[in-house]
Amino acid sequence: RAGGGAAAMEPERECRVLSIQSHVVRGYVGNKAATFPLQVLGFEVDTVNSVQFSNHTGYAHWKGQVLNSDELHELYEGLKLNKVNQYDYVLTGYTRDTSFLAMVVDIVQELKQQNSNLVYVCDPVMGDKWNGEGSMYVPKDLLPVYRDKVVPVADIITPNQFEAELLTGRKIYTEKDALEVMDMLHAMGPETVVITSSDLQSQLGNDYLIALGSYRKTNSDGTKITQRIRVESPKVDAVFVGTGDLFAAMLLAWTHKHPNNLKVACEKTVSAMQHVLQRTIKSAKAQAGEGNKPNSANLELRMVQSKKDIENPEIIVKATVL
């Protein structure tokens, strides 16, 4: 792991990520949202495209192909035969298929046997809340696979509030509930849990969104480190797609560069997100024209234009240590 300070900005040795996510020809979700920021931050990224679609499914039309679990296995076998299946990180996001997800778990377990320091960053994408009501947008049979197979092998997970509730079977009404839910998630395996968005009321007002993070590690001498943080960031009034994928990728990068400091890693991740979203909404409004609502194409993340913010984010959102 990279040390602190200036040296941490440059991974001393090649750091390689296997990212298994969706691919779109146009726009930024899945691997398209994760690869560029990771590369800009100095990581080598090997991508497996779980789907190849023309664009994300929020558009009126979309076409494309879906990779099945046998095809995923075949690609992995090719890497293995050439002995180029050595990784420092695995990153996964949206998946619709239980057998595909089970194959991902097999691959992660095999990679962890080769490298006990491998870190698996998992965004357990299952659903979200609209107007206070949660609903799943993946088949319901994915929940037990995430809960019983995926989360136990994950090291960093980034559920939203609804997903954290699904995984633990426990509702969150207060910050105390959220901390207890994160403890339950730690007990399932991951040492870093970030609830990326919640319904919790911010003291800063309704225009702020609360995210919570918890880091818990047991050192070799048996001592425990625990760090818990709250991040309150301004809400941006638009529906963006790919933000979760971007968040997980940047959290991977910044936790690598600032190990044992979830506060700084989250500040950099959330601040960079704000820069990207503000640039995107400004540009989308300009494209849509005065008085018109921006459409899906207008709202594609301004990723390339945000290169400097991703690489070296000015900290505009601070985290509070709890």
Side-chain angles (χ1 to χ4, degrees), residues 212-322:
L212 295 159
S214 178
Y215 171 73
R216 181 189 281 173
K217 190 179 180 190
T218 305
N219 292 322
S220 47
D221 61 3
T223 55
K224 282 188 165 59
I225 310 173
T226 304
Q227 189 182 23
R228 290 159 148 191
I229 57 153
R230 180 199 313 122
V231 187
E232 297 173 79
S233 54
K235 285 180 185 170
V236 183
D237 183 28
V239 176
F240 301 100
V241 180
T243 49
D245 308 322
L246 174 60
F247 185 97
M250 291 194 298
L251 187 68
L252 182 162
W254 291 117
T255 51
H256 176 82
K257 292 171 193 287
H258 301 283
N260 306 335
N261 195 338
L262 187 60
K263 179 182 189 287
V264 170
C266 284
E267 285 175 345
K268 290 192 174 182
T269 300
V270 176
S271 293
M273 291 290 306
Q274 279 294 319
H275 292 300
V276 174
L277 295 182
Q278 298 295 349
R279 178 173 289 107
T280 301
I281 190 75
K282 193 175 162 192
S283 164
K285 283 177 174 166
Q287 279 184 55
E290 197 67 45
N292 298 326
K293 199 171 180 246
N295 63 19
S296 291
N298 302 145
L299 286 164
E300 289 286 4
L301 297 176
R302 295 294 175 273
M303 196 74 81
V304 174
Q305 298 82 349
S306 303
K307 175 179 176 284
K308 288 189 172 70
D309 293 318
I310 291 167
E311 217 166 356
N312 190 14
E314 179 200 343
I315 304 296
I316 52 174
V317 178
K318 287 279 199 203
T320 308
V321 176
L322 302 175

Side-chain angles (χ1 to χ4, degrees), residues 110-130:
E110 188 169 310
L111 292 173
K112 282 192 169 196
Q113 279 168 356
Q114 290 185 44
N115 172 15
S116 59
N117 293 322
L118 178 127
V119 174
Y120 173 26
V121 180
C122 170
D123 185 4
V125 182
M126 289 182 283
D128 208 342
K129 290 189 178 182
W130 286 272

Side-chain angles (χ1 to χ4, degrees), residues 39-189:
Q39 288 172 330
V40 161
L41 289 163
F43 293 80
E44 285 288 348
V45 188
D46 292 1
T47 55
V48 173
N49 296 328
S50 55
V51 307
Q52 169 165 271
F53 286 166
S54 52
N55 43 266
H56 73 67
T57 56
Y59 284 75
H61 307 280
W62 48 276
K63 298 279 185 191
Q65 300 82 37
V66 177
L67 194 76
N68 66 35
S69 55
D70 291 340
E71 291 162 335
L72 168 62
H73 185 251
E74 193 179 351
L75 289 172
Y76 177 69
E77 281 299 305
L79 296 172
K80 203 160 114 178
L81 289 167
N82 290 311
K83 298 185 170 57
V84 289
N85 60 331
Q86 281 83 33
Y87 291 98
D88 304 284
Y89 287 88
V90 175
L91 175 62
T92 64
Y94 179 76
T95 306
R96 283 195 67 81
D97 180 70
T98 50
S99 61
F100 192 91
L101 200 52
M103 180 60 68
V104 168
V105 173
D106 290 346
I107 290 171
V108 169
Q109 284 174 318
E110 188 169 310
L111 292 173
K112 282 192 169 196
Q113 279 168 356
Q114 290 185 44
N115 172 15
S116 59
N117 293 322
L118 178 127
V119 174
Y120 173 26
V121 180
C122 170
D123 185 4
V125 182
M126 289 182 283
D128 208 342
K129 290 189 178 182
W130 286 272
N131 309 323
E133 275 302 302
S135 66
M136 287 180 73
Y137 42 61
V138 300
K140 292 202 169 20
D141 56 0
L142 262 78
L143 172 57
V145 184
Y146 271 117
R147 188 186 57 222
D148 306 334
K149 293 188 171 151
V150 181
V151 173
V153 296
D155 301 282
I156 299 176
I157 58 170
T158 59
N160 58 33
Q161 177 180 330
F162 178 62
E163 289 156 349
E165 291 173 343
L166 283 176
L167 289 168
T168 56
R170 167 119 191 239
K171 287 268 192 273
I172 295 172
Y173 301 106
T174 63
E175 191 172 276
K176 183 172 173 288
D177 293 336
L179 296 176
E180 286 168 11
V181 163
M182 289 195 290
D183 284 343
M184 290 168 77
L185 290 167
H186 283 309
M188 291 161 76

